[in-house]
Amino acid sequence: MVEKENKESLPEFSIEQLEEGVQHVNNPIIGLTPIEKRYLKAVKEYVQNGNNFYFSDGEARVEVRVVSDEIIRVRLAPHGTFLEEFSYAVNNLDQRVTVFSFDEDEVFYKVKTNTVICKINKADFHISFEDNLGLITNEDQIPMHWEENVDFGGYYVFCTKKCPANENFYGLGDKPSAFNIKGRRFQNWNTDTYSFARDQDPLYRSIPFYIGLNEGVAYGIFFDNTYKTHFDFAHQEHDKTSFWADGGELQYYYIHGPHMMDVVKRYHTLTGTHPMPAQWTLGYHQCRWSYYPESKVKNLAKNFRERKIPCDAIYLDIDYMDGYRCFTWNKKYFPDPKRMVKELSDDGFKTVVIIDPGIKVDDNYWVFREGKENKYFCRRSDDYFMEGHVWPGRCQFPDFTNPDVRTWWGGLFKELVEVGVAGVWNDMNEPAVFGSGTFPNDVRHQYDGHRGSHRKAHNVYGMQMVRATYEGLKKLQKNKRPFTITRAGYSGVQRYSSVWTGDNLASWDHLKLAALQCQRLSVSGISFCGTDIGGFTGEPDGELFTRWIQLGVFTPFMRAHSAGDTREREPWSFGKDYEDINRKFIELRYRLLPYIYSAFWEQHRYGFPILRPVVMIEQDVKLNLHREDEFTFGDKILISPVMQPGQKSKVVYLPKGKWYDYWSHDELEGGMEHTIQTPLDSMPIFVKAGAVIPEWPLMQYVGEIEPDEIKFQIYYSDYEVNSFYYEDHGDTFAYEQDIYTEKKFVVKGDAASLNIKQFSEGLYTPRYETYELKLIGLPFLPSKVYIDGKEQQQELGFDELKRVIIKANKNFRNIEILK
Ligand code: MIG
């Protein structure tokens, strides 16, 4: 909880100092010892080995690896020897490379693919990247450099790039700062930051990946280094961008664009995407620190059902455990957990429980004994156990970077799974320790056989914990999709878990930060994210809570949570008026679930981020570079949450094209701003013309009703638009064996007709037979409808919302609607 200055962090170098060559720096650890900063010198030779190219200045070597047509990796070995190939983040280094070639002229060596040329300047070892038309997208300002670390061994490693005047930057995970991060400096060191403030840095996660956007052309840099990393985006000097680390290898991936979307998709090809979540995990979740005893939990469940507010999951925070011992139950509060979980489940509620990494030092506690006997707990450099105080008192901590420990940990969930627990919430895994903040640097880790101190393992500790949890649940739950949430993480954590943004605050500024952080996480590879709706600490009033619920509908993970010392915080806690609006919006979430689920498929399968800030949609529009209110969920629904008290109206920018107001169906022209009325029971939501939006009938929880019909809202467009719709079993891994259906709709109209085509792919057969199609925005009253060539005898007329409703078989291929 306590924010602690990390002693080994470097003093702020001016980049001038870095440029002068050998430096004498006041190192905070060892006093005034002179430390030499070394730079790459002129290139003397090169060697090729397959898709790896090695350049040497006589001593230091640089590897340039062609990973794919659009991704090139650069590594530096100060004395010629590279570290062993290993990454927790990258799970697909051997991608398809079609053609690459090597070339040299007087000035440069050139490694070329179909789309990128990596140039190495022979005289000064500057590395640059350009596209196949010769446009330089990214180039070194000074050669890569390093500084020996006499205390720990290894090097501090540095890379400094040019920053053109009009370049802007995005990404970097969960930073609670303006969306465009130009002019800022950040570091990555996972930190428990209770009640964090705007611009506080670092927070809980380390995602050393950013997107540069200059004059409409984007590229990405993924600095795959688990040590404390630092990024300076033209903060210290307006024309330079630097990134550096306190250890490890200078190893980064250049990811070509030119669209931000391409960059993010390609980043996903390296680090993976989130597996398909179980459908229920996309419903509304209710959490609090803590709901206990059992009667309280049951009463909560009863309230949801009686008040008819949909809800899928109830969380048990740390008080369900016996003295905060993981994998135990407090039998006074929960005498028969299996029965309770079953009763909740009969009523449509999943039970999710919290787990912390700290294991109580207690020889009468089986988890501690097993960990001790098997030597699974972390140790200090002199072999003492790493001990620290957390909720249970004195604790030791499993070394999750050891694969045996991960297997053991995964198996510990056996009883919880037998009890019927449906999901596991991984907290405190930065790791957090009371007092000191986290582990000391000398703690040793197995690091999957690559060994390292806590300096190297700190930022991946939480990711490896949730990985162990995920993999354990996957085994124990047979073919069911595990549900995990984590607070800490490193790049690639999306393969194992969803993420919440940690201990935020009940304030209007934090509502803005929530929208910002979720957009940023989404473009940084972590789409399945959400915030504590209402704010963890402090007291929201009804208005703030309701506006947060509205934003929550459009965050991929939707959970209300609150600290133990706050007043009750359920959708009905602020009186009937608020309750009604909260219900209306939670119902909207449930109706949109098939659309939301389809967006998850696009993320899982193709690497499209779920939330897309407008700059990602129109990166060449100047004003978009700093916009942070408007974003889309998937590619068809745009929202602009209301984030100020008492706001009656809001100016909203819509990207080019035609849009419809979700509520009124009014048509709006994009490429401009509109003033939208924002009474509390509404929020600005827009749908792209041509969109086909699937909707479920209203349910109180996922699976309550097996729909006998799917409704689609079809928004008229006079240009062609594609939409995707995905279906599968909703809770198994059968989709990995192609048991799913991916549908594509193509919509195009003109003044007197509308054509809808459907294409279908995959092996899944849903139970329902028909579609109800609601046609919105038709510029004519139809008189004839043909489905697959047959004229239909359906009544055609506008309803009160100017819609025409028709029915069709789910397998239709072509619908013609004529004036
Ligand atoms: O030291 O488990 O961020 O969501 O409710 C606090 C109690 C520990 C921090 C989490 C919060 C959770 C709380 N936890």
Side-chain angles (χ1 to χ4, degrees):
M1 285 189 165
V2 186
E3 221 224 324
K4 212 194 97 194
E5 270 282 294
N6 249 284
K7 289 211 192 68
E8 85 292 6
S9 68
L10 284 174
E12 289 219 348
F13 293 110
S14 88
I15 293 180
E16 240 98 69
Q17 275 178 308
L18 299 176
E19 281 176 13
E20 278 164 21
V22 175
Q23 292 292 320
H24 295 270
V25 183
N26 183 1
N27 183 299
I29 311 162
I30 51 175
L32 281 163
T33 318
I35 296 178
E36 289 195 342
K37 193 167 290 291
R38 300 235 176 232
Y39 293 76
L40 286 170
K41 298 187 282 282
V43 190
K44 290 219 172 100
E45 57 186 13
Y46 91 92
V47 186
Q48 179 181 356
N49 178 10
N51 55 340
N52 294 302
F53 298 84
Y54 297 92
F55 304 89
S56 164
D57 68 359
E59 185 174 13
R61 285 207 298 160
V62 170
E63 180 197 84
V64 172
R65 179 189 179 104
V66 179
V67 176
S68 76
D69 287 351
E70 297 91 5
I71 302 175
I72 290 184
R73 186 180 73 176
V74 174
R75 296 164 89 190
L76 167 72
H79 292 286
T81 308
F82 293 96
L83 299 182
E84 285 163 25
E85 184 75 67
F86 178 74
S87 170
Y88 280 118
V90 173
N91 71 341
N92 181 16
L93 186 59
D94 299 305
Q95 305 196 7
R96 207 170 55 93
V97 186
T98 51
V99 189
F100 60 90
S101 62
F102 183 80
D103 205 0
E104 76 177 282
D105 58 25
E106 254 158 52
V107 187
F108 296 108
Y109 294 110
K110 300 176 195 168
V111 177
K112 294 186 184 174
T113 73
N114 276 335
T115 46
V116 188
I117 306 171
C118 172
K119 294 210 284 197
I120 297 95
N121 189 312
K122 295 178 176 179
D124 59 13
F125 227 129
H126 284 194
I127 296 180
S128 60
F129 300 90
E130 59 185 50
D131 67 14
N132 49 19
L133 299 172
L135 175 78
I136 296 175
T137 50
N138 178 271
E139 64 182 310
D140 285 348
Q141 161 79 28
I142 47 177
M144 296 192 283
H145 43 290
W146 62 94
E147 176 191 309
E148 194 166 340
N149 183 333
V150 286
D151 296 289
F152 297 101
Y155 311 91
Y156 296 101
V157 292
F158 305 83
C159 187
T160 300
K161 304 281 188 183
K162 285 189 186 160
C163 174
N166 291 331
E167 184 163 11
N168 288 280
F169 301 95
Y170 305 92
L172 232 59
D174 63 356
K175 308 299 182 193
S177 296
F179 191 64
N180 183 336
I181 48 184
K182 182 165 197 178
R184 291 170 189 269
R185 173 179 278 204
F186 299 100
Q187 56 177 252
N188 290 313
W189 185 255
N190 296 355
T191 307
D192 178 4
T193 43
Y194 173 79
S195 286
F196 60 85
R198 180 179 277 268
D199 291 328
Q200 186 167 329
D201 184 54
L203 298 192
Y204 304 90
R205 278 156 289 273
S206 297
I207 313 294
F209 162 65
Y210 72 85
I211 303 167
L213 174 63
N214 183 31
E215 306 287 356
V217 175
Y219 67 91
I221 297 283
F222 173 41
F223 181 24
D224 188 8
N225 184 306
T226 62
Y227 288 76
K228 181 184 281 180
T229 50
H230 310 256
F231 288 82
D232 183 303
F233 299 102
H235 163 81
Q236 186 130 342
E237 293 184 45
H238 66 92
D239 57 351
K240 297 178 186 85
T241 291
S242 306
F243 50 92
W244 65 100
D246 290 9
E249 201 165 60
L250 180 47
Q251 171 181 141
Y252 70 89
Y253 295 80
Y254 166 82
I255 305 174
H256 199 59
H259 297 293
M260 286 174 77
M261 186 64 92
D262 300 329
V263 176
V264 175
K265 282 177 68 176
R266 287 167 189 154
Y267 171 74
H268 275 297
T269 68
L270 289 169
T271 60
T273 58
H274 197 284
M276 279 308 283
Q279 247 161 10
W280 68 265
T281 66
L282 306 184
Y284 174 73
H285 297 199
Q286 185 65 44
C287 187
R288 181 164 169 81
W289 179 12
S290 303
Y291 289 123
Y292 70 88
E294 175 179 335
S295 56
K296 184 135 190 187
V297 176
K298 294 303 273 303
N299 190 42
L300 178 73
K302 197 167 133 233
N303 259 292
F304 273 103
R305 295 300 179 243
E306 279 179 6
R307 296 169 188 269
K308 295 222 166 306
I309 297 176
C311 179
D312 261 277
I314 293 178
Y315 284 60
L316 302 181
D317 205 327
I318 47 178
D319 300 286
Y320 80 90
M321 298 184 246
D322 173 20
Y324 306 121
R325 288 172 189 81
C326 292
F327 309 102
T328 67
W329 290 85
N330 179 320
K331 289 289 167 87
K332 205 172 106 226
Y333 298 152
F334 298 102
D336 188 353
K338 194 165 185 171
R339 178 190 40 74
M340 178 188 78
V341 171
K342 164 97 175 41
E343 284 165 10
L344 286 172
S345 158
D346 290 344
D347 207 8
F349 292 97
K350 302 286 192 292
T351 305
V352 179
V353 300
I354 198 168
I355 284 289
D356 287 358
I359 298 298
K360 188 179 179 69
V361 174
D362 171 1
D363 281 313
N364 298 317
Y365 166 39
W366 57 285
V367 179
F368 177 71
R369 273 202 321 271
E370 280 185 29
K372 180 175 165 186
E373 279 159 21
N374 293 298
K375 303 192 168 36
Y376 286 158
F377 295 121
C378 292
R379 292 176 186 240
R380 307 286 302 268
S381 56
D382 287 337
D383 224 34
Y384 298 112
F385 284 105
M386 161 58 215
E387 293 201 335
H389 284 257
V390 221
W391 292 105
R394 199 154 60 90
C395 284
Q396 294 186 10
F397 302 82
D399 180 9
F400 295 108
T401 69
N402 177 341
D404 294 339
V405 175
R406 288 199 298 269
T407 307
W408 167 67
W409 183 261
L412 294 174
F413 291 95
K414 186 159 180 282
E415 273 176 45
L416 287 173
V417 169
E418 279 165 10
V419 161
V421 160
V424 177
W425 168 24
N426 294 243
D427 190 19
M428 305 288 275
N429 53 355
E430 292 70 34
V433 177
F434 292 165
S436 60
T438 190
F439 294 1
N441 277 326
D442 72 324
V443 169
R444 288 141 44 191
H445 294 271
Q446 203 258 12
Y447 213 90
D448 279 72
H450 298 268
R451 301 158 306 275
S453 75
H454 198 62
R455 296 171 71 243
K456 174 170 161 183
H458 176 83
N459 283 338
V460 295
Y461 186 85
M463 172 188 185
Q464 296 312 304
M465 174 187 174
V466 75
R467 173 186 180 182
T469 306
Y470 179 86
E471 288 172 349
L473 291 176
K474 193 169 174 181
K475 264 189 224 150
L476 292 164
Q477 296 181 168
K478 307 287 177 329
N479 194 28
K480 269 197 176 172
R481 301 175 196 170
F483 175 59
T484 45
I485 316 167
T486 182
R487 199 168 68 175
Y490 180 71
S491 292
V493 68
Q494 68 269 15
R495 301 197 298 273
Y496 314 112
S497 189
S498 65
V499 158
W500 96 104
T501 57
D503 297 341
N504 60 357
L505 224 108
S507 73
W508 288 91
D509 194 44
H510 263 270
L511 177 58
K512 284 194 195 123
L513 290 179
L516 272 171
Q517 286 184 292
C518 288
Q519 291 180 66
R520 194 192 311 289
L521 283 164
S522 195
V523 303
S524 306
I526 302 178
S527 269
F528 199 0
C529 60
T531 67
D532 285 352
I533 291 176
F536 180 67
T537 54
E539 300 288 354
D541 59 12
E543 184 188 2
L544 176 58
F545 184 81
T546 290
R547 290 301 194 191
W548 215 314
I549 285 276
Q550 292 174 351
L551 168 68
V553 173
F554 298 99
T555 58
F557 174 51
M558 185 183 188
R559 183 185 75 159
H561 182 38
S562 47
D565 57 359
T566 60
R567 287 196 292 273
E568 303 210 315
R569 194 85 69 76
E570 287 84 41
W572 53 85
S573 302
F574 302 93
K576 182 160 184 324
D577 292 351
Y578 293 109
E579 178 181 343
D580 289 344
I581 306 174
N582 296 337
R583 178 188 301 102
K584 168 178 165 180
F585 277 88
I586 295 173
E587 287 179 354
L588 173 63
R589 170 88 179 188
Y590 276 74
R591 269 199 267 273
L592 287 175
L593 279 176
Y595 173 80
I596 292 171
Y597 194 57
S598 301
F600 269 83
W601 172 251
E602 286 184 40
Q603 139 65 208
H604 166 68
R605 179 79 175 73
Y606 304 107
F608 288 107
I610 292 178
L611 302 187
R612 307 170 191 182
V614 280
V615 64
M616 184 164 229
I617 300 163
E618 287 180 338
Q619 65 188 38
D620 49 351
V621 175
K622 261 222 174 80
L623 282 171
N624 288 352
L625 299 174
H626 293 278
R627 285 193 204 274
E628 40 194 45
D629 277 23
E630 298 89 351
F631 58 93
T632 66
F633 189 110
D635 70 335
K636 295 294 189 293
I637 297 182
L638 182 142
I639 42 269
S640 181
V642 178
M643 300 178 290
Q644 273 173 36
Q647 192 164 3
K648 298 268 179 325
S649 69
K650 180 168 190 188
V651 176
V652 176
Y653 173 77
L654 297 174
K656 282 175 215 87
K658 286 214 179 75
W659 295 83
Y660 288 87
D661 182 301
Y662 180 80
W663 307 105
S664 67
H665 299 157
D666 288 345
E667 222 183 282
L668 298 159
E669 200 55 54
M672 56 187 284
E673 292 179 338
H674 294 271
T675 300
I676 306 297
Q677 298 308 305
T678 54
L680 190 60
D681 65 352
S682 187
M683 85 184 272
I685 308 176
F686 307 90
V687 184
K688 241 189 198 166
V692 176
I693 309 285
E695 282 193 1
W696 272 347
L698 184 60
M699 306 181 193
Q700 295 305 304
Y701 57 91
V702 170
E704 185 199 26
I705 297 171
E706 167 108 36
D708 50 12
E709 188 173 80
I710 304 285
K711 297 184 196 323
F712 289 92
Q713 310 243 39
I714 301 183
Y715 295 81
Y716 172 87
S717 159
D718 57 8
Y719 49 93
E720 190 175 292
V721 174
N722 294 345
S723 299
F724 292 90
Y725 171 56
Y726 174 85
E727 298 179 299
D728 67 12
H729 287 119
D731 200 13
T732 73
F733 283 94
Y735 67 93
E736 291 180 346
Q737 266 70 54
D738 291 345
I739 315 289
Y740 64 84
T741 300
E742 190 187 289
K743 293 187 169 173
K744 183 171 94 173
F745 296 100
V746 183
V747 169
K748 184 178 181 327
D750 57 28
S753 75
L754 178 66
N755 177 247
I756 308 159
K757 291 193 172 67
Q758 179 178 232
F759 302 89
S760 189
E761 189 186 297
L763 304 173
Y764 174 73
T765 318
R767 293 242 199 98
Y768 64 85
E769 284 302 324
T770 53
Y771 287 164
E772 182 183 278
L773 307 176
K774 297 184 182 172
L775 311 174
I776 294 165
L778 284 181
F780 54 86
L781 181 65
S783 66
K784 285 192 167 83
V785 173
Y786 293 91
I787 300 184
D788 294 330
K790 271 199 211 110
E791 186 170 353
Q792 304 294 302
Q793 304 305 322
Q794 298 190 13
E795 215 175 286
L796 301 166
F798 286 125
D799 73 358
E800 71 295 348
L801 281 167
K802 285 191 319 223
R803 298 177 302 194
V804 173
I805 299 181
I806 61 175
K807 301 260 180 189
N809 182 277
K810 68 177 177 198
N811 297 319
F812 86 83
R813 276 188 266 156
N814 188 41
I815 299 184
E816 287 287 345
I817 295 136
L818 302 178
K819 188 171 175 176

